[in-house]
Amino acid sequence: MSSIKIELRKEDVDKINEICDSFGNEQSELINVLHKTQEHFGYLPAEIQEAIASKLNIPVAQVYGVVTFYSFFTMTPKGRHPISICMGTACYVRGAEKVLDEFKKELSLQVGQTTPDGKFSLSSLRCVGACGLAPVVLIGEKTYGRVAPDDVQDILKEYQ
Amino acid sequence: MRGRMTMETIKLTIDNKQIEVEKGTTILGAARRMGIDIPTLCHMKLDDLNIENKPGGCRICVVEVQGRRNLSPACITKCDEGAVVRTHTPRVMNARRTVMEFILSDHPKDCLICPKSGNCELQNMAIRLGIREITGQEIAEMSTYRKDTSPSIIRDLDKCIMCRRCEMMCNEVQTVGALSAVNRGFMAVVAPAFEQNLEYSPCTYCGQCVAVCPTGALTEVDHTGDVLRAIADPSKTVVVQTAPAVRAALGEEFGMKPGSLVTGKLVSALKELGFDYVFDTDFAADLTIMEEGTELLARLGKFLNGDEDANIPILTSCCPGWVNFFEHNFPDLKDVPSTAKSPQQMFGAIAKSYFAGKINVSRKDMVVVSIMPCLAKKYESQRPEFSVDGNPDVDFSISTRELAHFIKQANIDFNNLPDADFDRPLGESTGAGVIFGNTGGVIEAAVRTAYELYTGKKLSRLDFDELRGMEGVRQATINFDGLPINIGIAHGLGNARKLLDDVRAGRSTFHAIEVMACPGGCIGGGGQPLHHGDSSILKARARAIYEEDKNKTIRVSHENPYIINLYKEFLGEPNSEKAHHLLHTHYFDKKAKIIVKQ
C-alpha cells in the first residue's frame, strides 16, 4: 500500500493555513475553521479537509465526520445558479415536494448535487419566512412564489 | 487506607438495597458492586488498562431514579446522595425491550451464517431480553452499506449498532485516527475519511476495533479455507508456526478458564489437522533476540563511544501493528527501530531456506502457515518485501479464533487431547521466546541475552519484575554490571506515541524501548478469543505466559541449542551478511502527503 498523496495549489494551502492560524490552530476551533474555509472556497472537497486536518493535527476521518454531520457543510461546489426549494411546513403542505421532484427530473439531479457543467445545484431548506408565497423557490438572490410543478421548465429557461 | 477514610462517599438505594459508594461512581458501577447486573451494550470498561467506552448511546441500561421524569442511562448517570434507583420496574423493562427492538429493526437477521454468531453481544442481549418479535419490522428500512475487505479486517456496516467502541479504541486508545463516526441519522456509520476503504486510511490493522466490536460489523479475513486446501494438496509440505500468546488463550474457546496453558494440546491438534511439521514461533523469537540483541549492543557500543550516529534508543520491531503505526505517523524516525524482522517473518524466511533445504523440498512446494493472536500479521505476511519472486515467506496467517473454528470443524475433542511436543529443529524454544506474548516480554528477553553477552557473566536472577505489569507506559533501569541501561515500555499505540514524541523532540533518555500495539501485548491481540470487556482475562493470560517461562529448562535465547546450531550450520554470526539478507528489513514512509502545486 502506498501512501495517500493530495495535490493542492500553493495559494489554496496558504489560505487554509491563514484561516487555521487565525484560530490559533486550536483543534477545538475545527467548526469555525470549516465555516471560514467554506466561505472562501464555496465548498469543502477532500483535499481541503486533508490540508485542514494536517494543519490542526487531527485525523482527517474526524474532520470528515464533522463535515458530514452538519448539513451546512458541503463537499460539492454550488452551481452558478444555486436552486433552493423551501420544504418548511407551509410550503410542504402546498406541494413543495412535487416542485422539488420536477426540478430533480428536469435537471437529473438529487438534492445536494450540482450539474456537470456547474450551472445549477439543488438544495432544500426549511422556511425562508415567506409562507404567504408558498411554495417558495430561491434561485441565487431571486425568489419565486406560488410555484407549481408546471412552472419549473419556464423558470429554468430564464437561465438559458 | 487513610485515603479511603477521607474519601467522600454517597449513600443510595438500588432495588431496595442500601449501598455506600465513592462520589463520582455511576449507577452502573454501584449496581455491579452489589451484584446487580444491569444489561449494557455500548458500554465497555477494561479495568487496569484505563479503557472505557461510555457514549451513553444505546440506552439499554436505562433505570428509574425516583424524582426524575425520564429514565436515566445507568452507565453515565452518577449516584446522588439518597437516590432511590430501580433497575427492573415494568416501565424500565418495557423501555429496555423497546430500545432493543429499535436496534434490531434495521439489523440483518442472518445470524445463522454470521461470523459472530454464538459470540455476539447483540445476539446475547436479544436472548437475555427474550425478544421474540420486533414491532414495526415490516416497515423498517434496512441498511445496505457496501462491505469493505482489507488484508486483515472486514467491515460489514449493516451490522453496526453505533456503539462507537471501535471509534474509541482507534482514536483514544490507539490514537490511530482511522475511524470516525460519519453522517447522521439512519446513514450514520463508523468509517475512515471520505468513507474510503480501510486500506486507504492510516489503519495499522492492530485489530483492536475487531476485539471490541459487539456484533459482526468488524471481523477478521478468514484464511482457514486456504489452509485446508494447502493441507489437502499432496504436493505441498505444510509447515505451521504458533505464536506464544496463542497457547495462553486458545483454551478459552473450548470452555477452559482464562489462563489455561494448552501448549501440548495445541501441538496435538495441529498434528491432527494434518500439518506436516508443527513448529514454534518462539524459536523465531529466540532468533529475533540474537539479531535484535546484537544490534542493540552494537548501537549501544557506538553510543558509549560518543558516536553521534549511534541511533539510540533502539526500538523493538516485532509488532506489525506498531511498524504500520510508525510508518504512518513517524516516518522521520524510521531508522530508529531495529531492522530485525518480526518472529513470524524470521520463521518464514528460515523455514523456506534453511529448513526447506534440510528436508529437500523446493520453496514453491512449501506452505508456511502461522497461528497468531494478531490481525496485523495477516497484512504483514502479504508485504511484498517478505516474498521471493512472488512467493511469500509466510503464506497464510490465521488468528487464534480462526484456529479454534478449524479445530471444531475437524471433529477434534480438544479438551481431551493428549499433550504432544513440537517438531524439531524449529520447534525448540526457551522461556525468553515465550514471554514475547506479554507487554515487557520482548525487552525482558533481550535484557537476559544482552546482559550475559555484554558482561560475560551469568544472570543471578532471570525474572525482571520491574519490566512487567499492565501500566501503559513503564520504565526501569537495569544495571549491566555498572552500566545503567534505561528501558522504556509502552503497550497500546497511544502510549507508544507519547514515547515517540519524546524521541522526536530529543527528550528521550531511554537506550531501548519496547512497543506492542495491543493493550497487554499480544495476549490482548486483535485475533485472540474475545474478552467482552473483562480485563481479568488478559491478566490471567499474562500469568500463564510467565508460568510457561518458569517451566522451561532453558530461559535465555542464546542458549537454545537449535539456535546455536542454526548459526553454526547456516547463518554464521548474528548480524552476518546472510542473517541480514534473511532476517532484517527496512521501513517505508506512509504518511499522507500534501503536494503543493506551484
Side-chain angles (χ1 to χ4, degrees), chain B residues 39-154:
Chain B
T40 57
L41 204 47
C42 66
H43 178 266
M44 186 197 74
K45 188 171 185 216
L46 284 168
D47 296 311
D48 310 307
L49 288 166
N50 249 339
I51 296 173
E52 186 167 17
N53 186 57
K54 46 172 188 179
C58 77
R59 261 28 199 194
I60 281 288
C61 68
V62 286
V63 293
E64 207 170 319
V65 183
Q66 205 171 72
R68 288 199 190 189
R69 199 157 57 94
N70 293 327
L71 299 178
S72 305
C75 68
I76 50 169
T77 307
K78 297 215 165 82
C79 296
D80 281 334
E81 182 64 44
V84 177
V85 178
R86 289 194 176 82
T87 73
H88 57 84
T89 62
R91 185 181 170 212
V92 166
M93 288 166 75
N94 197 29
R96 201 167 275 154
R97 171 177 291 273
T98 305
V99 164
M100 190 61 186
E101 287 183 33
F102 274 134
I103 294 172
L104 292 178
S105 67
D106 72 335
H107 193 86
K109 312 292 184 297
D110 62 351
C111 293
L112 278 175
I113 52 168
C114 177
K116 228 23 179 315
S117 190
N119 209 352
C120 169
E121 292 179 39
L122 187 66
Q123 193 179 48
N124 290 344
M125 189 62 67
I127 294 169
R128 175 168 171 181
L129 299 182
I131 306 288
R132 292 292 171 268
E133 59 179 334
I134 297 158
T135 317
Q137 177 64 73
E138 330 71 66
I139 53 160
E141 195 180 340
M142 299 303 290
S143 159
T144 51
Y145 205 89
R146 69 178 158 68
K147 254 194 189 183
D148 166 20
T149 303
S150 68
S152 297
I153 295 168
I154 298 175

Side-chain angles (χ1 to χ4, degrees), chain A residues 78-82 114 117-121 140:
Chain A
K78 286 250 160 67
R80 287 191 298 284
H81 307 293
T114 302
D117 61 3
K119 195 166 176 182
F120 294 108
S121 56

Side-chain angles (χ1 to χ4, degrees), chain A:
Chain A
M1 187 185 65
S2 60
S3 68
I4 292 164
K5 292 189 177 69
I6 305 296
E7 290 199 14
L8 276 173
R9 293 182 309 174
K10 183 167 187 318
E11 60 258 43
D12 294 347
V13 177
D14 288 346
K15 185 68 199 177
I16 292 164
N17 287 347
E18 182 195 317
I19 292 170
C20 292
D21 287 341
S22 75
F23 289 102
N25 294 308
E26 289 285 338
Q27 298 179 353
S28 56
E29 295 283 0
L30 175 62
I31 289 180
N32 285 327
V33 168
L34 291 171
H35 260 279
K36 275 276 179 233
T37 312
Q38 180 163 300
E39 196 178 297
H40 179 82
F41 292 98
Y43 68 121
L44 297 166
E47 296 78 14
I48 285 180
Q49 293 181 44
E50 291 272 6
I52 292 171
S54 162
K55 180 72 174 155
L56 297 182
N57 197 22
I58 46 181
V60 66
Q62 283 177 25
V63 175
Y64 177 74
V66 171
V67 168
T68 54
F69 187 83
Y70 294 103
S71 59
F72 175 80
F73 296 125
T74 174
M75 286 183 63
T76 44
K78 286 250 160 67
R80 287 191 298 284
H81 307 293
I83 303 169
S84 306
I85 289 109
C86 180
M87 298 287 272
T89 313
C91 290
Y92 188 83
V93 298
R94 297 191 64 171
E97 195 168 23
K98 290 204 176 81
V99 175
L100 175 62
D101 286 344
E102 195 62 25
F103 274 107
K104 283 184 185 170
K105 203 177 83 193
E106 281 299 315
L107 298 168
S108 306
L109 274 190
Q110 292 299 316
V111 169
Q113 291 180 336
T114 302
T115 51
D117 61 3
K119 195 166 176 182
F120 294 108
S121 56
L122 199 55
S123 64
S124 68
L125 45 76
R126 296 268 181 268
C127 198
V128 292
C131 305
L133 297 174
V136 173
V137 172
L138 297 174
I139 301 186
E141 303 281 297
K142 196 168 171 187
T143 308
Y144 296 83
R146 302 211 175 88
V147 180
D150 289 348
D151 303 333
V152 168
Q153 275 192 5
D154 288 340
I155 292 173
L156 287 174
K157 271 192 194 128
E158 291 178 33
Y159 299 89
Q160 291 290 316

Side-chain angles (χ1 to χ4, degrees), chain B residues 217-290:
Chain B
L218 295 167
T219 52
E220 67 272 34
V221 177
D222 189 334
H223 285 114
T224 48
D226 301 302
V227 175
L228 187 61
R229 271 188 291 280
I231 290 173
D233 185 342
S235 70
K236 303 288 184 199
T237 300
V238 189
V239 173
V240 66
Q241 54 163 321
T242 167
V246 176
R247 67 207 65 188
L250 181 65
E252 293 164 31
E253 293 280 348
F254 298 92
M256 296 184 194
K257 69 173 200 302
S260 304
L261 266 176
V262 295
T263 318
K265 291 186 194 304
L266 167 65
V267 176
S268 285
L270 292 169
K271 291 190 169 170
E272 195 73 28
L273 285 170
F275 289 102
D276 296 306
Y277 294 93
V278 179
F279 290 141
D280 200 348
T281 313
D282 296 14
F283 171 86
D286 282 334
L287 188 56
T288 302
I289 289 303
M290 298 305 290

Side-chain angles (χ1 to χ4, degrees), chain B residues 115-116 148 153-157 159-160 165-167 179 190 198 207-220 375 401 530:
Chain B
K116 228 23 179 315
D148 166 20
I153 295 168
I154 298 175
R155 295 165 59 239
D156 183 2
L157 296 176
K159 292 177 177 163
C160 174
R165 288 185 192 175
C166 56
E167 187 192 11
L179 295 174
V190 176
L198 217 45
Q208 283 303 313
C209 55
V210 178
V212 299
C213 180
T215 73
L218 295 167
T219 52
E220 67 272 34
L375 300 187
R401 291 192 296 267
L530 301 172

